Amino acid sequence: MRFIGRANELDYLESSYADKRAQLVIMYGRRRVGKTETLAHFAAGKPHLFFSAQSATKDEQLAAFSKQMFAAGAPAARYIDRYPDWQTALSDLVTLPRNSSNDNGRRLVIFDEFPYLVKSDPSLPSVLQNLWDRTLQHEDIMIILCGSAMSFIEKEILSEKSPLYGRATGILKMQPMPYWDATAFLPDYTDEDKTLAYAILGGIPHYLLQFDPDDDLQTNIENRILRKGTALYSEVEFLMHQEFRETATYNSIIQAVALGATQLNDIAQKTLLSPQKASTYIANLIEVGLLEREFPANAKTVEFSKGMRGLYHISDNFFRFWFAFVFPNRSNLEFGDIGGVYRYDIEPQLHTFAASAFEHMCADWLRRCNAAGTLPFHANIIGRWWNSKDEIDVVAGNRDSTRLLLGECKFRNQPIDMRVLQELRRKGSQLRGEQRWYYLFSLNGFTESLRNLAEHDDSIRLIDMKTLFGAR
Ligand SMILES: Nc1ncnc2c1ncn2[C@@H]1O[C@H](COP(=O)(O)OP(=O)(O)OP(=O)(O)O)[C@@H](O)[C@H]1O
């Protein structure tokens, strides 16, 4: 299997590794996002100890860790077969052989699924903190603590009350891959199908790997999502059971959001929960990276206005797809009516379904251009704007709100015409910004009159699929 993307994460890890000071890096992110694979890729070619914790008792974990330490060169003689506790085990990290090819003789130690270790021995963070303060912070060592239990890491490791608070030299929260890396899993797809696949699977490598790059999109949807017994068919239920106890309630909340409930009261009404209860469940879904709350950019200052009520969305593309098309069709799918569900439910709605993922892709494209310095100005904020009547797919503004970029994204069969530009100008007149640019993103190109206009007017930029997937 080819390793794809993750350039920023690897850059970050390499620069920590090259740093002269001791490093304690906390890495976390939702399940399946690619933490282990990225760490393995980073560690390859460097002497290292990679300990993948299991859900087990403290004694079992210590036994497994001791075995790896002794095999890696820690002196076993002092202990009969294993370390008696984490204090002695971690004290011995400094006895591991150094990396002789590296200037600073760095030792690299990775604890994958660290929360499992703390669960079986809650004193571990304070043991590590003590050792760090006394000895480890003066050693040539890089320790990475990795975990997928997001709430655990955020509450127990990174919060002020945690003994490890303030000791971490770096925190890396792994996000799903951006579309340009995610679609590299399906290199021979057309740009349109890449977009559809990204709208369905998102940037989670484990999901992207389920599709066969040699099969077309329809075959992949039918055989790898809609077919009972496949990993993706049962993934949502599997993950929900792993993360939550009251899965039925969580399911009903996500389904309510999938069906268009975007405000707390709507969600509470649809799920028959009190708003207080609903908001607790929603907070947990946000914590595990399944829901998000989006705020509109502010019309006056082009900042996100937290004061306004945000809208809830399903942040994970695959969960959106599953709740939109698999969950409501479960009884048909259980009877093997895959072709029917595809033809009558999915195919006619797929482009509409993909429209919001397409908007996110366009915003990410702008963010990448912004980082590369290829936008007409440096944007301080890039997001969506809406009020009670109008909505703009993507807006970007500079710090003092003098420059404004307004964008419209159309994932549909007709080319974008002049009316779309006129409508964008009208909606944009409600936002501040002396100098304005109009960015039109289109699946199927632009009418000739619009192309002629854009040729002579630098404030109008036409972005087609080739640009979105190619040049910045
Ligand atoms: N950058 C990548 N390129 C190619 N394949 C990848 C990449 N990242 C992850 N994968 C693959 O995706 C799958 C999930 O990745 P991985 O196990 O690293 O995720 P994780 O975040 O550690 O998951 P979990 O928290 O569920 O253990 C694996 O099959 C892995 O090989």
Side-chain angles (χ1 to χ4, degrees):
M1 189 201 64
R2 189 164 67 93
F3 184 83
I4 290 173
R6 297 303 189 193
N8 292 344
E9 288 83 354
L10 290 171
D11 259 13
Y12 168 78
L13 291 169
E14 290 294 351
S15 69
S16 301
Y17 188 70
D19 196 301
K20 296 233 168 347
R21 290 159 301 176
Q23 299 289 310
L24 178 62
V25 174
I26 317 277
M27 175 161 161
Y28 70 116
R30 57 154 288 182
R31 298 285 320 264
R32 325 286 208 199
V33 78
K35 302 175 292 295
T36 306
E37 190 71 30
T38 304
L39 285 174
H41 193 75
F42 163 65
K46 303 178 176 75
H48 65 272
L49 189 133
F50 196 121
F51 183 63
S52 297
Q54 309 284 327
S55 173
T57 64
K58 177 180 158 189
D59 283 348
E60 287 164 339
Q61 285 165 340
L62 271 167
F65 184 69
S66 309
K67 212 166 145 194
Q68 257 185 273
M69 284 287 284
F70 302 151
R78 283 183 280 159
Y79 306 97
I80 300 169
D81 57 352
R82 66 175 181 83
Y83 297 110
D85 49 38
W86 283 111
Q87 170 74 34
T88 39
L90 298 180
S91 306
D92 255 16
L93 289 178
V94 295
T95 65
L96 288 172
R98 286 162 181 279
N99 180 359
S100 51
S101 64
N102 180 301
D103 280 351
N104 54 15
R106 203 36 114 211
R107 294 183 177 99
L108 173 62
V109 183
I110 298 170
F111 291 92
D112 199 8
E113 303 298 354
F114 184 69
Y116 281 146
L117 298 183
V118 183
K119 213 166 156 198
S120 66
D121 184 355
S123 70
L124 181 56
S126 48
V127 168
L128 183 55
Q129 175 236 312
N130 260 313
L131 265 173
W132 182 262
D133 291 353
R134 279 193 286 114
T135 55
L136 292 175
Q137 63 164 323
H138 308 296
E139 296 287 334
D140 293 329
I141 195 164
M142 175 170 182
I143 299 177
I144 304 178
L145 308 178
C146 179
S148 52
M150 314 243 283
S151 56
F152 177 88
I153 299 267
E154 280 173 353
K155 285 198 194 114
E156 305 294 326
I157 309 288
L158 300 175
S159 83
E160 272 178 58
K161 70 177 172 56
S162 162
L164 288 174
Y165 175 77
R167 266 60 178 197
T169 53
I171 296 162
L172 181 58
K173 182 172 179 181
M174 272 197 86
Q175 301 289 357
M177 291 177 159
Y179 76 87
W180 47 86
D181 286 339
T183 51
F185 282 80
L186 301 164
D188 298 330
Y189 272 31
T190 61
D191 292 340
E192 180 172 358
D193 282 351
K194 281 182 181 167
T195 304
L196 290 168
Y198 178 72
I200 295 166
L201 302 171
I204 301 294
H206 177 68
Y207 301 164
L208 292 155
L209 276 176
Q210 306 302 316
F211 271 23
D212 184 336
D214 294 331
D215 280 345
D216 63 23
L217 187 68
Q218 178 177 348
T219 310
N220 268 320
I221 294 175
E222 291 187 347
N223 290 350
R224 302 197 168 76
I225 300 180
L226 304 182
R227 192 173 296 286
K228 205 174 139 185
T230 57
L232 288 175
Y233 184 79
S234 46
E235 167 68 6
V236 169
E237 280 167 325
F238 174 79
L239 263 196
M240 294 297 276
H241 273 114
Q242 287 221 324
E243 299 282 356
F244 303 115
R245 249 174 282 139
E246 296 154 79
T247 45
T249 312
Y250 285 103
N251 277 342
S252 64
I253 290 182
I254 304 187
Q255 210 203 357
V257 180
L259 291 175
T262 51
Q263 305 265 3
L264 178 61
N265 282 340
D266 278 0
I267 298 171
Q269 240 171 29
K270 286 217 167 80
T271 52
L272 305 176
L273 291 165
S274 69
Q276 288 86 340
K277 271 220 157 133
S279 77
T280 311
Y281 288 110
I282 288 171
N284 293 338
L285 285 165
I286 292 177
E287 232 166 46
V288 297
L290 295 179
L291 278 196
E292 68 186 355
R293 194 171 180 200
E294 195 185 14
F295 294 92
N298 187 313
K300 290 203 189 76
T301 57
V302 193
E303 279 170 358
F304 288 118
S305 40
K306 297 272 178 197
M308 274 188 75
R309 279 198 295 174
L311 302 181
Y312 291 104
H313 292 287
I314 300 179
S315 41
D316 182 86
N317 286 6
F318 181 64
F319 270 62
R320 272 187 69 229
F321 181 85
W322 196 91
F323 276 96
F325 298 115
V326 179
F327 193 67
N329 286 307
R330 278 299 279 277
S331 44
N332 285 356
L333 292 172
E334 289 286 313
F335 278 101
D337 182 17
I338 294 173
V341 170
Y342 183 81
R343 196 166 331 116
Y344 297 109
D345 281 276
I346 298 180
E347 199 174 26
Q349 294 185 59
L350 199 52
H351 276 69
T352 313
F353 170 82
S356 81
F358 184 64
E359 286 170 19
H360 277 99
M361 286 170 53
C362 299
D364 280 348
W365 180 85
L366 286 173
R367 289 187 184 101
R368 186 156 74 146
C369 292
N370 197 32
T374 56
L375 289 186
F377 60 91
H378 186 260
N380 187 37
I381 180 177
I382 297 178
R384 228 152 58 82
W385 174 86
W386 66 88
N387 63 14
S388 54
K389 286 197 213 82
D390 288 318
E391 164 174 349
I392 302 178
D393 295 339
V394 53
V395 300
N398 67 341
R399 198 170 291 281
D400 59 8
S401 311
T402 50
R403 291 158 173 227
L404 182 65
L405 183 158
L406 300 147
E408 186 74 25
C409 315
K410 296 276 186 227
F411 193 67
R412 58 174 199 198
N413 288 327
Q414 304 91 331
I416 289 189
D417 60 22
M418 214 59 110
R419 277 170 307 177
V420 172
L421 177 65
Q422 282 156 3
E423 181 60 7
L424 183 59
R425 284 191 202 275
R426 183 196 65 75
K427 291 188 289 189
S429 63
Q430 299 167 82
L431 279 87
R432 228 179 90 183
E434 290 140 38
Q435 228 184 329
R436 284 156 188 260
W437 286 265
Y438 299 90
Y439 274 58
L440 301 171
F441 297 86
S442 175
L443 167 64
N444 269 309
F446 309 88
T447 57
E448 201 182 331
S449 51
L450 192 53
R451 276 189 277 122
N452 288 339
L453 180 68
E455 222 165 89
H456 301 104
D457 185 343
D458 197 40
S459 72
I460 301 165
R461 308 279 169 99
L462 308 182
I463 316 296
D464 59 12
M465 298 300 277
K466 227 169 116 206
T467 313
L468 209 55
F469 278 95
R472 282 173 219 180

